[in-house]
Short mmCIF file of all heavy atoms in Angstrom, two decimals:
data_model
loop_
_atom_site.label_atom_id
_atom_site.label_comp_id
_atom_site.label_asym_id
_atom_site.label_seq_id
_atom_site.Cartn_x
_atom_site.Cartn_y
_atom_site.Cartn_z
N SER A 414 82.21 104.42 127.07
CA SER A 414 80.79 104.26 126.71
C SER A 414 80.59 104.78 125.30
O SER A 414 80.88 105.94 124.96
CB SER A 414 79.91 105.13 127.69
OG SER A 414 78.59 105.24 127.20
N ALA A 432 81.28 112.79 113.01
CA ALA A 432 80.50 112.86 114.30
C ALA A 432 79.03 112.93 114.04
O ALA A 432 78.21 112.32 114.76
CB ALA A 432 80.97 114.14 115.03
N MET A 609 97.75 79.50 90.40
CA MET A 609 98.12 80.44 91.44
C MET A 609 98.53 79.70 92.72
O MET A 609 99.48 80.07 93.37
CB MET A 609 96.92 81.38 91.71
CG MET A 609 96.60 82.39 90.66
SD MET A 609 95.11 83.37 90.92
CE MET A 609 95.64 84.33 92.36
N GLN A 614 100.52 81.59 95.56
CA GLN A 614 99.82 82.90 95.63
C GLN A 614 98.54 82.90 96.32
O GLN A 614 97.86 83.89 96.44
CB GLN A 614 99.65 83.39 94.23
CG GLN A 614 100.88 83.75 93.41
CD GLN A 614 100.66 84.13 91.95
OE1 GLN A 614 99.72 83.68 91.35
NE2 GLN A 614 101.59 84.92 91.47
#
Side-chain angles (χ1 to χ4, degrees):
S414 166
M609 292 174 66
Q614 295 175 330

